[in-house]
Amino acid sequence: MEEWRLVNLGALSPHSIHAVYEAIALAVSSKAAPNTIELCYPSEPYVCIGVHQCAEFELDLQACEQLNLKVVRRQVGGGTTYLDPGQQFYHIVVHRDHGLAKQPIEKFYEVFLRAVAKFYRSYGLPADYKPINDVVISGRKASGNGAALLHDAMVLVGNVILDFDPEPMAKVLKVPSEKFRDKVVKDMKEWVTSLKRELGYVPDRGEVIEKLITCFEEVLGIKLVQGSLTDLERQKLVELEKLFQSKDWLYSINLEHKELMESFKARKVKIREGHYIIQADYKALKMIRVLAEVVDGTLSNVMITGDFFAQPVESVKELEEYLKGCRLVQEDIEKRVNEFFKSSKAAFAGVKLEDLVAALLKVKERLEVL
């Protein structure tokens, strides 16, 4: 039976949580460490945004500061979430040459999340995998997950929700009104569940961990062998913690599109006749947010963010560059988007090619009503 390493690190700081799985990914990539499942949980509450999201679009940063909540931008796609000690995390790191890692991203999720669904079913709960990255109980979200190729390793990060309070998350999300914030709380209460909600109590964390280990072993057909981080991984962990605490990392999307963001913040919707800054959202399976500079009907600059998943991460930036100079008409947008995906190794999950086209056409719609 194939053996993988099991590393249980207990409570970690918010930045350490996201530094550690990349440190492991570096070691697994160079085959200095075996395929690994690492377990941990937050030592304090924090807010986490996906790698393709812009913090200022998603969060009320002043509210985060007032609530003393750290904001962490992870290296994996997906949406904004509030995380606290009422959760148990699992980080799965598999070398890209392994059969499990060679599958399309949707299949990659499905295989590993079958183990998480089995974990919930071990408590007698009717849990199922819901594409592309959730486990649900009677239609309610019980586990959120994200995956990315980091170096030469596929990484899946996910959680078991022991207990959940939607109020803190609703306080920090950027919403149009307080009435809408109340709706967010109501919707999250309906959509998200927890072991406490389903069972009436919070199981012991040690029991949760043992059940998770068993389910991963049985579903994946592996043997998890207790281990620890190597000296190299610990060294990389310290280096990555510093990177993820920096504003350059948190606001890297803003810095890449500095002029576009400055115009947007200044509310310069119309720069001059024929020159506009337009922001538009399009909801596919995942959200796409587009901020575009349009000059005489042509995309001069474009920023694409959202809670989707893109492999490799840099492919979003490459797509943005490829779209520059595209006329804002459907046939030209379709041609550019299709050409990009034919000529690159980019793979998106949560959005389809036609969704990206539709999101860009939303810019055109907004332009026409100005």
Side-chain angles (χ1 to χ4, degrees):
M1 181 178 289
E2 185 180 356
E3 292 187 350
W4 289 21
R5 179 178 56 161
L6 173 70
V7 181
N8 186 0
L9 297 177
L12 294 178
S13 69
H15 292 101
S16 295
I17 284 171
H18 299 279
V20 71
Y21 59 76
E22 182 160 353
I24 293 171
L26 280 162
V28 170
S29 295
S30 64
K31 301 195 175 177
N35 295 328
T36 298
I37 295 182
E38 179 260 317
L39 304 171
C40 62
Y41 62 93
S43 60
E44 61 182 282
Y46 70 103
V47 183
C48 191
I49 63 171
V51 69
H52 304 301
Q53 291 189 303
C54 173
E56 289 171 301
F57 285 176
E58 308 296 336
L59 293 169
D60 181 336
L61 293 171
Q62 186 175 357
C64 292
E65 187 175 345
Q66 290 171 347
L67 293 168
N68 198 29
L69 288 172
K70 292 182 175 69
V71 179
V72 180
R73 176 178 174 238
R74 61 184 179 272
Q75 314 89 295
V76 176
T80 302
T81 185
Y82 167 84
L83 302 164
D84 63 19
Q87 303 186 33
Q88 175 62 48
F89 294 163
Y90 46 84
H91 299 150
I92 301 166
V93 186
V94 189
H95 197 281
R96 69 185 306 175
D97 289 343
H98 193 281
L100 290 172
K102 290 181 177 179
Q103 305 174 94
I105 188 68
E106 292 89 348
K107 188 64 178 177
F108 181 80
Y109 277 119
E110 181 182 356
V111 169
F112 287 99
L113 296 188
R114 282 206 306 261
V116 182
K118 184 171 184 176
F119 160 82
Y120 280 107
R121 288 197 296 271
S122 73
Y123 282 101
L125 302 172
D128 294 293
Y129 162 65
K130 181 183 179 184
I132 64 170
N133 62 317
D134 292 327
V135 173
V136 298
I137 298 172
S138 302
R140 294 191 179 98
K141 180 175 180 174
S143 172
N145 300 267
L149 178 66
L150 298 182
H151 311 287
D152 278 332
M154 278 298 294
V155 177
L156 185 144
V157 302
N159 64 346
V160 167
I161 305 174
L162 307 177
D163 196 5
F164 176 71
D165 178 6
E167 297 282 351
M169 183 166 176
K171 288 178 181 177
V172 299
L173 289 177
K174 182 164 280 188
V175 295
S177 67
E178 288 307 309
K179 184 176 180 181
F180 192 89
R181 198 180 305 278
D182 292 339
K183 183 180 185 304
V184 169
V185 173
K186 180 176 180 292
D187 288 348
M188 282 196 293
K189 283 180 178 178
E190 292 176 356
W191 163 230
V192 181
T193 192
S194 65
L195 283 173
K196 183 176 182 180
R197 178 174 181 171
E198 299 295 331
L199 300 175
Y201 69 97
V202 177
D204 177 76
R205 192 181 297 273
E207 176 186 288
V208 168
I209 288 170
E210 287 302 316
K211 282 179 175 285
L212 272 174
I213 291 169
T214 299
C215 292
F216 279 124
E217 287 182 326
E218 291 178 355
V219 171
L220 303 178
I222 61 173
K223 175 65 178 175
L224 288 169
V225 179
Q226 186 69 47
S228 58
L229 296 180
T230 65
D231 290 343
L232 174 62
E233 288 169 325
R234 293 184 184 280
Q235 177 188 331
K236 290 296 181 182
L237 171 59
V238 173
E239 293 173 8
L240 288 163
E241 282 174 334
K242 291 178 182 176
L243 171 65
F244 297 147
Q245 289 174 28
S246 70
K247 289 189 176 181
D248 283 353
W249 167 256
L250 179 60
Y251 297 111
S252 64
I253 289 178
N254 306 51
L255 295 171
E256 290 165 7
H257 300 276
K258 188 176 180 181
E259 292 183 5
L260 199 54
M261 286 298 296
E262 286 176 353
S263 294
F264 178 71
K265 287 178 189 176
R267 301 300 178 194
K268 293 181 180 177
V269 177
K270 182 176 180 179
I271 308 298
R272 58 171 173 77
E273 190 62 39
H275 189 175
Y276 301 87
I277 303 294
I278 306 291
Q279 198 270 331
D281 295 345
Y282 181 80
K283 184 71 171 75
L285 184 58
K286 296 293 183 179
M287 176 65 76
I288 307 171
R289 300 189 190 280
V290 178
L291 182 61
E293 181 178 10
V294 183
V295 180
D296 298 329
T298 297
L299 288 172
S300 173
N301 198 357
V302 63
M303 171 177 166
I304 300 172
T305 65
D307 59 352
F308 50 82
F309 302 91
Q311 298 288 0
V313 168
E314 297 78 18
S315 60
V316 176
K317 189 188 301 185
E318 292 167 1
L319 173 60
E320 291 169 344
E321 285 296 317
Y322 203 84
L323 287 168
K324 288 181 181 179
C326 177
R327 288 193 309 141
L328 203 56
V329 294
Q330 184 165 345
E331 61 182 25
D332 282 17
I333 293 170
E334 288 176 346
K335 183 180 178 182
R336 285 286 181 110
V337 171
N338 278 285
E339 284 178 349
F340 172 77
F341 281 95
K342 284 179 181 178
S343 62
S344 77
K345 294 182 179 179
F348 282 43
V351 296
K352 299 176 182 177
L353 270 64
E354 53 263 39
D355 296 324
L356 291 165
V357 171
L360 291 162
L361 287 174
K362 276 278 187 180
V363 173
K364 182 175 184 287
E365 289 177 18
R366 292 287 306 276
L367 184 62
E368 289 171 347
V369 299
L370 287 178

